């Protein structure tokens, strides 16, 4: 392939990533501007770490309720990788209230380089968030607090 064509592909890919990030960043600013809830909804900030390969990065999440009866919540994650790459995805977790806070779990098929079925389990209070993730090729942790 010639260089102009590769440059064009890189620009299109970069614009797609920026567009997804720009949308999340707008939602993030709105979420941070509101008072944190007494549950786990709203914004979270911290890091992710792969126990399988040592990769890590910043992690932000916005949690919203999808169905109060079932406890289904949307966890919209946005993570950095190698300090300059970023991407996001959304997962539905079932959240249950416990005497110590909240527990949640869920499965999500992800596409791309790190694709496959991911299983998540975690616990949170209104101020601290800890979760583990596991797939066939990776496993690790998410650690976050309120921004």
């Amino acid at each position: 392939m010639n260089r102009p064509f590769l440059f064009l592909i890189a620009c299109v890919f970069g614009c797609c990533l920026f567009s997804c990030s720009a949308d999340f960043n707008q939602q993030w600013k709105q979420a941070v501007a509101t008072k944190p809830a007494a549950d786990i909804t709203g914004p979270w900030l911290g890091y992710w770490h792969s126990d399988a390969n040592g990769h890590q990065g910043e992690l932000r999440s916005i949690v919203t309720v999808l169905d109060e009866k079932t406890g289904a919540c949307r966890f919209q994650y946005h993570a950095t990788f190698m300090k300059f790459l970023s991407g996001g995805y959304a997962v539905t977790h079932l959240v249950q209230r416990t005497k110590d806070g909240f527990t949640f779990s869920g499965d999500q098929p992800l596409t791309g380089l790190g694709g496959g079925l991911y299983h998540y389990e975690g616990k949170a209070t209104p101020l601290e968030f800890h979760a583990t993730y596991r797939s066939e090729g990776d496993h690790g942790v998410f650690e976050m607090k309120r921004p």
Side-chain angles (χ1 to χ4, degrees), residues 53 89 108-118 120 133-138:
N53 56 35
Y89 61 95
Q108 181 73 26
L110 299 178
T111 60
L113 294 176
L117 182 64
Y118 278 73
Y120 301 86
Y133 67 91
R134 179 169 298 281
S135 73
E136 185 177 319
D138 196 11

Side-chain angles (χ1 to χ4, degrees), residues 6-129:
L6 289 175
F7 179 73
L8 179 63
I9 290 174
C11 288
V12 169
F13 181 71
C15 288
C16 291
L17 283 177
F18 178 75
S19 173
C20 294
S21 292
D23 186 44
F24 180 87
N25 287 337
Q26 182 179 1
Q27 293 174 26
W28 176 258
K29 287 178 185 175
Q30 291 173 346
V32 170
T34 61
K35 182 179 176 185
D39 56 20
I40 65 171
T41 60
W44 293 93
L45 175 64
Y47 69 92
W48 66 273
H49 179 270
S50 170
D51 294 334
N53 56 35
H55 294 158
Q56 60 188 357
E58 181 183 79
L59 179 66
R60 295 182 292 164
S61 181
I62 302 170
V63 179
T64 55
V65 174
L66 295 175
D67 186 339
E68 288 189 28
K69 284 185 179 182
T70 64
C73 290
R74 181 178 191 237
F75 287 59
Q76 191 175 350
Y77 294 111
H78 192 268
T80 62
F81 177 72
M82 296 175 58
K83 296 187 181 182
F84 66 93
L85 296 175
S86 66
Y89 61 95
V91 178
T92 299
H93 295 316
L94 296 178
V95 178
Q96 295 182 341
R97 184 180 290 271
T98 68
K99 66 178 184 167
D100 299 326
F102 301 86
T103 61
F104 52 92
S105 63
D107 295 304
Q108 181 73 26
L110 299 178
T111 60
L113 294 176
L117 182 64
Y118 278 73
H119 177 73
Y120 301 86
E121 288 186 16
K123 58 185 177 178
T125 68
L127 299 175
E128 294 185 352
F129 181 112

